[in-house]
Amino acid sequence: MDDSDMLDRSCASGLFTRIVGSVINFHDTLDSTNKRAKDLAEGGCGEGIVIVADTQTEGKGRMGRGWESPRGGLYLSVVLRPKMDPKDVQLISLVAGLAVSKAISTTCLIPTSLKWPNDLQYKGKKISGILTEASFKGESVEYIVLGIGINVNNSKGDLTDEVAENSISIREITGEKVDRAELLRNVLYSMDLAYAKMLSGQLENILDEWSRRSSTIGSTVRIKTANRTIEGKAIGVDQTGALIIKQSVGLGRVSAGECTHLDPC
Ligand code: BTN
């Protein structure tokens, strides 16, 4: 990667957003953009600040896992302060997944599917992951750190075998190097629009779009939560982002967990 590939302040020129990207901090290396964003949020920073790093040494993934973050990928976190019910925070992951999926199709012309709750896939391989970490004060949301990692120009050789097996980067799909600055602008623009839509009550519309792009809806799934495993056919998501599953015993609802698609690809 040469200097022209590094993300810096110039990437933000021409970006007009209302909230997401009000301030953008660029770093060469951080331990984790989520960790930095969380520190800023704890310190009282405003809504919409974005932290970007070209590489992370301790990228965080879901379920306490790590997120391998070699150069060439896109790693960013956004601080949000939505006025929403704490039980609905999962919606932010769905909103972000939809926004990232749209940004990838606008920038790179490839379709991605959304795997509940917050993976983006191409032909069953992971192209992007989303990690939302929320802090609550009493009955309200104090802040949410939304972390987005996208495999962009990196290749399998940059990842451990275990992760590489189930991952793919945009460059590996198209065979062309992606302009990460353009992708970043489109992600922020798309997230800003989707967030505004959610806040203005157009949730139905977002969930419809999410479901249309989802490979989970209509699939037979197994969801493992901390204390149970549910199997059945995923038939939709409810107003809180929880997955609705049709089981032989009736309808089940699960708000968080590890999802496996059981149908053969
Ligand atoms: C997942 O496990 O699928 C979620 C991965 C989220 C990774 C992103 S990269 C930017 C941000 N900073 C982190 O430490 N993690 C998230």
Side-chain angles (χ1 to χ4, degrees):
M1 196 161 95
D2 59 40
D3 284 357
S4 64
D5 290 327
M6 292 167 77
L7 296 173
D8 60 22
R9 272 189 311 140
S10 63
C11 302
S13 72
L15 176 74
F16 298 103
T17 51
R18 280 164 284 192
I19 298 175
V20 177
S22 49
V23 174
I24 311 180
N25 291 348
F26 292 92
H27 299 265
D28 176 56
T29 306
L30 278 180
D31 46 2
S32 154
T33 56
N34 262 40
K35 189 165 176 292
R36 174 60 64 97
K38 209 168 173 180
D39 290 345
L40 292 171
E42 290 287 340
C45 73
E47 182 174 49
I49 188 167
V50 173
I51 313 299
V52 184
D54 279 320
T55 178
Q56 302 181 112
T57 54
E58 289 170 42
K60 291 160 73 174
R62 290 181 66 233
M63 310 277 181
R65 290 188 288 251
W67 177 261
E68 295 180 16
S69 313
R71 288 187 188 276
L74 188 58
Y75 315 107
L76 65 135
S77 301
V78 188
V79 175
L80 299 172
R81 297 186 184 276
K83 289 189 178 39
M84 73 194 298
D85 193 314
K87 74 170 177 19
D88 295 339
V89 291
Q90 152 109 332
L91 281 172
I92 296 287
S93 295
L94 272 70
V95 169
L98 179 61
V100 173
S101 174
K102 286 183 171 185
I104 291 176
S105 61
T106 305
T107 319
C108 315
L109 308 177
I110 55 167
T112 49
S113 56
L114 295 160
K115 177 169 175 254
W116 186 89
N118 45 15
D119 281 356
L120 269 83
Q121 296 187 323
Y122 178 82
K123 297 191 176 165
K125 303 260 185 200
K126 186 153 167 169
I127 202 168
S128 169
I130 288 165
L131 174 69
T132 43
E133 300 184 280
S135 169
F136 305 103
K137 208 172 218 169
E139 294 294 290
S140 51
V141 177
E142 188 189 11
Y143 64 81
I144 292 176
V145 169
L146 164 67
I148 300 170
I150 310 178
N151 295 320
V152 187
N153 290 326
N154 48 306
S155 57
K156 286 203 189 306
D158 303 322
L159 302 170
T160 57
D161 290 351
E162 195 193 349
V163 173
E165 196 185 342
N166 298 312
S167 304
I168 195 159
S169 72
I170 300 175
R171 188 177 189 170
E172 285 169 333
I173 298 165
T174 62
E176 280 171 27
K177 190 169 170 193
V178 180
D179 180 345
R180 287 187 314 138
E182 188 191 354
L183 180 59
L184 172 64
R185 280 191 296 273
N186 284 338
V187 166
L188 298 180
Y189 181 68
S190 182
M191 184 60 209
D192 190 61
L193 270 183
Y195 184 56
K197 236 180 176 180
M198 186 196 86
L199 294 180
S200 67
Q202 298 177 61
L203 190 57
E204 210 60 54
N205 186 280
I206 292 174
L207 295 178
D208 277 356
E209 274 197 86
W210 189 93
S211 300
R212 276 203 299 277
R213 287 180 186 238
S214 173
S215 54
T216 301
I217 307 305
S219 294
T220 308
V221 296
R222 178 186 300 132
I223 312 290
K224 277 192 181 166
T225 72
N227 45 24
R228 61 181 179 146
T229 298
I230 307 169
E231 275 189 29
K233 185 167 179 173
I235 58 166
V237 282
D238 72 9
Q239 297 282 313
T240 68
L243 192 65
I244 309 297
I245 299 171
K246 190 173 173 195
Q247 300 171 280
S248 48
V249 290
L251 289 187
R253 176 185 174 280
V254 61
S255 55
E258 190 74 355
C259 171
T260 308
H261 291 178
L262 300 176
D263 301 317
C265 292

